[in-house]
Amino acid sequence: MKSHLVHGVAICALLGAAAPALAQTSSEPAASVDAVVVTGIRRANIKAIDSKLKASGVVDVVSSNEVQALPDLTIVEALRRVPGLSVLPATDNEHPRDEAATPVIRGLGPAYNNVTIDGSPIASPGTPNGNLGSIGRGVRLDILPSSMISEMAVTKTFTADLDPNAVGGAIDLRTRSAFAGGGKPFFTFELAGGGANDQGLPRKQSPIGGRAQTTGSFTFGPDGKYGLTASANYQKLDTFTETHMTTDTVHAGFYNDAGVLQSGENLGNGFAVPQQDKYWYVQDRRARYGLTLKGEANFTDALYGFVTGGLYRFQDTMERNELILDSNQRGVVLNQTATSGQYAKGDVEVGFEHANIITNTQLIQAGLDWKIADDQVLSARGAISRATYREPITMIKYITNAAYGAPGTSTGATVVPTAAYAFTYDTSRFNQRFNMNPAAFYDLTAYRAFYYRPDYKRSASDNIYSGRLDWRKNQGRDARGWGFAAGASYTQDTPEYNVYRVEYGPNANATPFTLATAAGPAGAPLRYSDGLFLLTLDPVKAAAQWEAARAAGVLNRTDQSNFSNQDNFEHRERTLGAYGVVNYATDKLKAQFGLHEDSTRQDTTGRARVAGVWTKLATKSSYDFLLPSALVTYDITPTIDVRLGASQTIGRPSYDSYAARTAINFTQATDKGNPNATGVSVTVGNPDIKPRLSTNLDLAFDWRLSNRYGGLVSVAVFDKDIKDEIFNAASQGFTYDGVTYVNAVVTRPVNASKASVRGVEANLIVNSLEWIHPWLKNVGVSGNLSQLDGELKVLRSNGVGRTLDRLTGQPDETRNATIFYSHAGLELRAAYNHQGRALRSITPDIAWQDLYWAPRDQVDAQATYEVRPGLTVYGQASNLTHTRMTSLYGPGKNLLKDTYSVPTVFWLGVRFTPRF
């Protein structure tokens, strides 16, 4: 990894060496020269550069024009163009991964980063982070529309006025002001139709999707003192993702030369055997709706106020068609070679899931800016935000040769592997193949009803109330001499999560009902099965079978109390912040020093099972941090500056880490109250867990290129040393109800490991290549490269540590490259994005079970043509190479965990933006 950093530094040097011909020869700002017409893409680049250079610290900006310029359907997809950023899908094992959900800043995922809208926190239902889809800390940006923003600013150096939950950085989504552009009226309307190449299997879907969005603003009243901005969006698209995978947990087995399964880290003969062959076809109908209203007023020359309201809805109607080939008796494998073997028995599962995922986000923000004097401003901000997540689910499954439980019990059906479904496996290629007798596979009468989950719900909500006061003296960009700032903030955050499930299984009195009378459409290929096709359910016919059986009293309701309780929690977090900043500025030097006090109190209620009874357990915790920050900017020339930052920030633990939210289990009921009882197991949260504390160093160099060409060369290096990194560990001894169980084995999240990440980021924007040859006057390029080197120390259950070469979610590198042509109303653009291998999840005791995201490349393109002033037609295509999203595991990190197709999506539309 060190060589990667050296390589990155060398590229940065080459970028600088290539730029002398473009060097700025005038101190005037680039926007004052029109040698290159600055429209469309070029205007977006110049606006982003202006915002970047005006900001304090290391900041990258994506303008609204930039978002429009590429086929990025959501905010998070647009953010992957930013240096040092990568994007990840949901990381649970329940939902598809063909859309990005969260950004990763400098190798640090959503839990480490702060997200705001116009500086105020935004509620989020969190990001799914486990098999059950429970929520983790962090804002899920894929549910917010891009139409609401004027620009996105990614701040990578902490200053004392910001929320310190920013180990990676902070993302601020800035809405449009009606007073922008001198208060001139503004209006844009866009209408487009599109579709995906992965669409309509195994059931028909709507081949054409649509999107419409509009933003308008105007000023009114005496002297245009009042302004109103409105933005609305709608988008709907049907797609499917085709998935091939192995099991969600162990993934593979290793055997000795006698074919006997080994355990733990014992690799036996070294030949990995996938434990399942699992296929999904997941069909999604995703719809996004949004409305933002912003009212503003310049009440006097000294008093400005605004109110913003937003409603955003994301709905994903998901149908998952599942097929699993499984041995279910993995202890012995026959006739094993390096790439093949045989299981004597097996089974096949056919399942269907219908889920309607609905996320709603609402916000109200208000603010006042009072200009006390020419160099003093007092600001007040307040915000209320609420986000909800609801996912009602129906699941049905059939399996070969199921055995049914006794009537009147809570026992469901069990699996009976048989020789008819024996199979051989082939691992000679990356995607394993299980070879099963087609006659047995297609015998629908052998697939018996297995389980029925008609009432299954996941839900989450989050409410945030925030307010802050800020006082600034002599803080403007052109201020000289000493300046000061101080402020205080209060935030209350109340997330909660709940999962509930009802499940039925046939009992021994049931007349077997099979897939033969409940089969759905066939014809979807199983890409890696040597000619087999997907078996599906007809959900209407299957549900009718189950409901008839329930009415006849031949179903058992299985015990789902553990599932319905152990993951639930409620959390309340109250944070009081205060800061002070001192600035000093000359014509060339700007220095800022600050302190931020963070005082947080929280209450969490989880669930624990004590001797079979689920009980609510309340916990409390608190922490206080005094965090310093320093930032120095020096203008070497009017067009070259260097920036140095040092700070400490925190990474707040996940909400559910605080809750005692799983089980206290005794081997026998009589063990309760016996301090010497053995076999007591406990899994709890940790109310005393501390936030991560990161010490951050940043050094950045910015070189604004010649006005004639418009562009920027920037290089940044950074180092983050993270103390109290959070990880799960095991300990012995637990006190409950006044009794200390000395032999209890307790698993909980602890501050037991260290982490660090460092890297280099290089960025180049050139709006015209005329300096190479006059023929290239209308051609421009941009690109960035980030190399990251991380280290994460984790503890095994025996207390012995091991070291990984990166943080969870961190890729080893990211790359972006864009080439564009702009002339006479025609703009063409092609963009390339690369994300290196990233750590997905860790199994502390078994290193080969750690999961990694495989390296991934994506190519996107757009063409626009201005038919007449203000009227533009465009075409867009994303993921032209149809690149998949793949996860890896194994001793060599090269074995298949899962691979998801990501569709190529095309849009054709028209945009109307009249010029007032």
Side-chain angles (χ1 to χ4, degrees):
M1 184 62 72
K2 302 293 185 186
S3 63
H4 287 307
L5 288 179
V6 173
H7 176 60
V9 172
I11 290 177
C12 298
L14 289 174
L15 288 175
L22 309 177
Q24 183 78 291
T25 59
S26 168
S27 62
E28 298 175 20
S32 66
V33 176
D34 294 324
V36 174
V37 179
V38 285
T39 60
I41 296 172
R42 291 189 171 117
R43 180 188 294 127
N45 287 340
I46 289 176
K47 182 178 179 183
I49 291 170
D50 286 342
S51 295
K52 175 181 175 67
L53 296 181
K54 288 177 182 177
S56 300
V58 181
V59 177
D60 288 291
V61 177
V62 181
S63 71
S64 59
N65 304 77
E66 177 77 1
V67 174
Q68 287 181 345
L70 279 171
D72 299 320
L73 304 183
T74 65
I75 288 173
V76 69
E77 290 185 351
L79 283 170
R80 71 177 152 202
R81 316 290 175 185
V82 173
L85 266 71
S86 54
V87 298
L88 290 176
T91 57
D92 71 338
N93 292 311
E94 295 290 327
H95 301 94
R97 302 196 180 106
D98 56 318
E99 282 195 353
T102 56
V104 176
I105 303 177
R106 288 181 164 177
L108 296 155
Y112 296 83
N113 305 315
N114 187 37
V115 176
T116 55
I117 295 178
D118 288 334
S120 295
I122 177 73
S124 174
T127 56
N129 65 354
N131 288 342
L132 302 181
S134 61
I135 62 172
R137 189 186 293 271
V139 174
R140 185 170 177 173
L141 285 175
D142 63 322
I143 64 179
L144 298 176
S146 60
S147 62
M148 63 175 285
I149 64 170
S150 65
E151 64 180 21
M152 297 180 286
V154 182
T155 300
K156 300 173 182 176
T157 51
F158 173 73
T159 54
D161 58 313
L162 299 176
D163 185 325
N165 186 57
V167 177
I171 300 171
D172 189 33
L173 311 177
R174 299 170 180 172
T175 59
R176 180 178 177 82
S177 171
F179 298 122
K184 292 181 180 179
F186 173 82
F187 176 77
T188 185
F189 175 77
E190 180 179 322
L191 186 65
N197 67 334
D198 290 338
Q199 198 274 342
L201 283 177
R203 293 171 178 82
K204 290 183 178 180
Q205 294 175 287
S206 176
I208 303 297
R211 75 181 182 204
Q213 58 187 32
T214 183
T215 301
S217 67
F218 64 94
T219 58
F220 59 96
D223 300 322
K225 288 187 175 183
Y226 303 99
L228 182 65
T229 303
S231 177
N233 71 283
Y234 164 80
Q235 179 176 294
K236 182 185 74 67
L237 186 67
D238 287 7
T239 64
F240 76 73
T241 179
E242 168 263 320
T243 307
H244 185 217
M245 64 185 85
T246 183
T247 52
D248 291 335
T249 50
V250 178
H251 317 316
F254 286 88
Y255 297 77
N256 62 18
D257 290 336
V260 177
L261 181 66
Q262 306 299 290
S263 61
E265 291 192 292
N266 187 347
L267 300 181
N269 56 25
F271 305 149
V273 180
Q275 299 293 279
Q276 282 183 346
D277 205 29
K278 184 188 295 187
Y279 294 88
W280 283 359
Y281 271 82
V282 183
Q283 296 184 278
D284 292 276
R285 169 168 290 180
R286 296 186 176 101
R288 293 176 167 89
Y289 313 82
L291 175 64
T292 307
L293 296 174
K294 183 177 182 178
E296 301 171 90
N298 286 317
F299 298 107
T300 69
D301 292 341
L303 185 62
Y304 163 83
F306 75 91
V307 176
T308 302
L311 298 170
Y312 314 108
R313 180 181 178 90
F314 170 64
Q315 183 168 346
D316 182 358
T317 302
M318 183 187 82
E319 291 189 345
R320 189 180 79 201
N321 305 272
E322 179 181 55
L323 181 81
I324 300 175
L325 284 67
D326 198 333
S327 69
N328 247 308
Q329 292 184 344
R330 299 167 185 157
V332 177
V333 66
L334 308 175
N335 304 319
Q336 189 181 25
T337 72
T339 60
S340 65
Q342 181 181 17
Y343 282 106
K345 295 181 180 181
D347 65 70
V348 184
E349 303 175 32
V350 179
F352 176 83
E353 174 185 331
H354 180 278
N356 194 21
I357 304 162
I358 302 171
T359 299
N360 289 301
T361 305
Q362 303 107 37
L363 66 91
I364 298 176
Q365 299 176 337
L368 287 172
D369 294 331
W370 178 28
K371 190 175 182 181
I372 303 172
D374 288 343
D375 65 345
Q376 291 188 60
V377 176
L378 181 66
S379 298
R381 297 289 186 269
I384 301 173
S385 182
R386 174 172 171 79
T388 59
Y389 177 99
R390 299 290 182 267
E391 186 179 8
I393 303 168
T394 300
M395 297 182 72
I396 307 174
K397 181 167 283 190
Y398 289 68
I399 194 168
T400 54
N401 301 309
Y404 296 157
T409 68
S410 60
T411 303
T414 56
V415 181
V416 183
T418 62
Y421 295 93
F423 57 86
T424 59
Y425 64 85
D426 177 1
T427 59
S428 61
R429 287 163 285 189
F430 176 68
N431 279 275
Q432 74 269 1
R433 284 166 165 79
F434 284 22
N435 300 298
M436 183 173 288
N437 181 356
F441 177 82
Y442 288 118
D443 181 7
L444 301 187
T445 62
Y447 292 82
R448 302 177 69 181
F450 188 44
Y451 66 69
Y452 178 43
R453 297 170 180 167
D455 189 8
Y456 180 5
K457 296 184 181 69
R458 295 191 188 103
S459 60
S461 66
D462 186 25
N463 297 279
I464 293 182
Y465 305 89
S466 66
R468 62 179 295 157
L469 285 172
D470 298 273
W471 170 78
R472 298 180 178 88
K473 178 178 174 59
N474 201 30
Q475 290 283 303
R477 176 174 174 78
D478 297 325
R480 298 295 181 263
W482 293 98
F484 307 92
S489 63
Y490 176 79
T491 303
Q492 179 172 289
D493 188 3
T494 56
E496 63 179 52
Y497 177 78
N498 181 274
V499 63
Y500 172 80
R501 188 168 75 190
V502 172
E503 179 183 278
Y504 295 96
N507 61 45
N509 290 339
T511 300
F513 48 101
T514 72
L515 188 59
T517 54
L526 301 180
R527 185 188 298 262
Y528 307 104
S529 66
D530 294 332
L532 297 180
F533 288 85
L534 182 73
L535 300 178
T536 69
L537 303 179
D538 183 316
V540 175
K541 293 178 181 177
Q545 285 184 337
W546 282 94
E547 290 297 337
R550 181 160 64 162
V554 294
L555 299 183
N556 290 342
R557 180 166 173 169
T558 64
D559 182 5
Q560 298 290 304
S561 60
N562 285 2
F563 185 92
S564 298
N565 284 277
Q566 65 183 3
D567 218 33
N568 300 347
F569 70 92
E570 300 90 37
H571 180 77
R572 185 170 67 130
E573 187 171 280
R574 302 168 304 285
T575 300
L576 181 64
Y579 74 91
V581 170
V582 177
N583 295 71
Y584 181 75
T586 67
D587 288 342
K588 289 182 173 290
L589 176 70
K590 298 179 181 63
Q592 179 188 112
F593 305 92
L595 288 172
H596 186 108
E597 168 67 21
D598 182 281
S599 179
T600 299
R601 305 290 181 267
Q602 50 215 354
D603 305 283
T604 311
T605 300
R607 309 289 188 273
R609 197 178 80 171
V610 183
V613 179
W614 283 96
T615 306
K616 287 188 176 183
L617 294 181
T619 61
K620 294 184 178 181
S621 61
S622 63
Y623 52 82
D624 295 272
F625 286 92
L626 184 62
L627 304 167
S629 65
L631 180 65
V632 178
T633 301
Y634 183 73
D635 295 332
I636 301 173
T637 74
T639 58
I640 300 175
D641 69 55
V642 61
R643 304 176 185 219
L644 176 65
S647 66
Q648 285 191 318
T649 53
I650 61 175
R652 304 186 195 277
S654 178
Y655 303 123
D656 49 27
S657 295
Y658 297 102
R661 53 192 288 262
T662 48
I664 302 173
N665 292 311
F666 298 94
T667 303
Q668 302 179 48
T670 55
D671 287 339
K672 185 180 180 183
N674 176 10
N676 298 312
T678 59
V680 181
S681 61
V682 185
T683 308
V684 296
N686 184 356
D688 297 320
I689 197 166
K690 296 181 290 186
R692 309 162 177 92
L693 176 64
S694 178
T695 300
N696 315 300
L697 297 174
D698 294 88
L699 176 64
F701 163 90
D702 298 310
W703 182 3
R704 186 163 205 158
L705 302 180
S706 166
N707 290 342
R708 178 174 176 79
Y709 307 105
L712 179 76
V713 173
S714 63
V715 179
V717 293
F718 67 91
D719 181 90
K720 298 178 182 292
D721 182 49
I722 304 171
K723 179 184 176 183
D724 291 327
E725 177 60 22
I726 297 167
F727 209 77
N728 288 329
S731 63
Q732 187 169 325
F734 186 73
T735 300
Y736 186 75
D737 278 351
V739 179
T740 298
Y741 298 92
V742 294
N743 297 313
V745 177
V746 183
T747 302
R748 69 172 69 197
V750 296
N751 299 109
S753 59
K754 292 185 64 178
S756 63
V757 61
R758 61 197 62 86
V760 56
E761 302 166 348
N763 186 30
L764 172 67
I765 301 173
V766 179
N767 264 338
S768 173
L769 297 181
E770 187 180 9
W771 60 283
I772 296 177
H773 194 283
W775 290 353
L776 299 178
K777 175 181 179 180
N778 300 313
V779 178
V781 295
S782 66
N784 57 69
L785 166 69
S786 300
Q787 298 279 357
L788 304 174
D789 179 15
E791 184 178 89
L792 176 64
K793 295 181 180 179
V794 300
L795 291 178
R796 303 172 189 260
S797 59
N798 61 7
V800 177
R802 68 181 178 97
T803 301
L804 294 94
D805 65 354
R806 68 198 68 202
L807 278 64
T808 304
Q810 178 215 312
D812 49 12
E813 67 174 355
T814 62
R815 298 194 297 264
N816 286 286
T818 300
I819 183 169
F820 56 88
Y821 171 87
S822 180
H823 179 65
L826 175 66
E827 290 191 343
L828 305 174
R829 184 170 188 177
Y832 163 77
N833 172 262
H834 168 82
Q835 289 186 194
R837 187 174 66 192
L839 180 61
R840 175 178 162 184
S841 65
I842 303 167
T843 303
D845 288 346
I846 308 176
W848 63 264
Q849 289 187 21
D850 294 344
L851 289 182
Y852 290 82
W853 300 106
R856 185 174 183 274
D857 300 287
Q858 181 164 321
V859 177
D860 308 306
Q862 173 170 304
T864 66
Y865 181 68
E866 191 173 41
V867 178
R868 52 180 296 181
L871 182 63
T872 300
V873 295
Y874 65 85
Q876 297 174 330
S878 64
N879 195 25
L880 283 168
T881 54
H882 203 223
T883 310
R884 300 173 71 91
M885 177 69 72
T886 300
S887 296
L888 308 170
Y889 75 98
K893 306 177 183 65
N894 61 347
L895 302 178
L896 173 70
K897 161 59 175 74
D898 52 49
T899 178
Y900 286 69
S901 64
V902 179
T904 301
V905 178
F906 302 91
W907 292 98
L908 182 63
V910 59
R911 184 180 301 121
F912 177 55
T913 308
R915 298 171 185 173
F916 295 100

